[in-house]
Amino acid sequence: MARVVVEVMPKPEILDPQGKAVAGALPRLGFTGFTGVRQGRRFELEVDGAPDEETLEQARKAATEVLSNPVIEDVVSVHWAQES
Amino acid sequence: MARVVVEVMPKPEILDPQGKAVAGALPRLGFTGFTGVRQGRRFELEVDGAPDEETLEQARKAATEVLSNPVIEDVVSVHWAQES
């Protein structure tokens, strides 16, 4: 079974309160190496059958039309998952 | 500026209502190539300075201790972002 991974992140100019909360928590918990955090979403789409280009193209379309909100989010990656 | 990407997904045995909702919506919108959807989270941690192994190790620790809930989520990847 193949899987397409779709990665969506808030646009740089959009406030990201969840990321901000994590960025504030990290140093309090001893993780001092990070200067900022953004939180986005990661989807795995299961595909029955072969991982072909047509399916990937459909996933790209779904990423921009269904999985993300183009007003506030960017689709940063659509790719086949490395099978484990 | 370097960035570490942390990817977190719900464990396979955990219900994922958001993923289920997307999986239900896709065929209604004409995307018929997918048999299931899981929705997880993707973090970008900004790092001041060089992308060294120590920072990546700290990010791995933060991923399991802060960024994910180990009861219901798996950390599926911690890696340096390809700079654009």
Side-chain angles (χ1 to χ4, degrees):
Chain A
M1 187 196 66
R3 274 172 301 141
V4 181
V5 174
V6 174
E7 298 174 353
V8 173
M9 294 299 291
K11 284 181 187 291
E13 67 271 24
I14 296 289
L15 276 178
D16 170 16
Q18 292 174 303
K20 276 252 187 305
V22 174
L26 285 176
R28 289 199 303 273
L29 297 164
F31 299 98
T32 55
F34 309 104
T35 55
V37 178
R38 305 284 286 173
Q39 181 176 329
R41 295 182 291 150
R42 181 183 188 278
F43 298 89
E44 291 184 359
L45 310 181
E46 286 174 25
V47 175
D48 249 356
D52 55 17
E53 181 56 34
E54 191 191 337
T55 304
L56 193 60
E57 188 51 41
Q58 198 178 76
R60 285 194 197 101
K61 200 157 176 280
T64 53
E65 294 181 10
V66 186
L67 303 178
S68 67
N69 177 348
V71 178
I72 58 169
E73 292 172 316
D74 289 323
V75 176
V76 295
S77 180
V78 179
H79 62 267
W80 291 105
Q82 273 130 40
E83 286 311 306
S84 49
Chain B
M1 186 197 66
R3 276 173 300 141
V4 181
V5 175
V6 174
E7 298 174 353
V8 172
M9 293 299 291
K11 285 180 188 288
E13 67 270 25
I14 296 290
L15 277 179
D16 170 16
Q18 292 173 303
K20 276 251 185 307
V22 174
L26 285 176
R28 287 199 304 272
L29 297 164
F31 300 98
T32 54
F34 309 104
T35 55
V37 178
R38 306 284 285 172
Q39 181 177 328
R41 295 183 290 150
R42 181 184 188 277
F43 298 89
E44 291 184 358
L45 310 180
E46 285 174 25
V47 174
D48 250 354
D52 56 15
E53 182 56 34
E54 191 190 339
T55 304
L56 193 60
E57 187 52 41
Q58 197 179 75
R60 285 196 196 99
K61 200 157 176 281
T64 53
E65 294 181 11
V66 184
L67 303 178
S68 67
N69 177 348
V71 177
I72 59 169
E73 291 172 316
D74 289 323
V75 176
V76 296
S77 180
V78 179
H79 61 268
W80 292 105
Q82 274 131 39
E83 285 314 305
S84 50

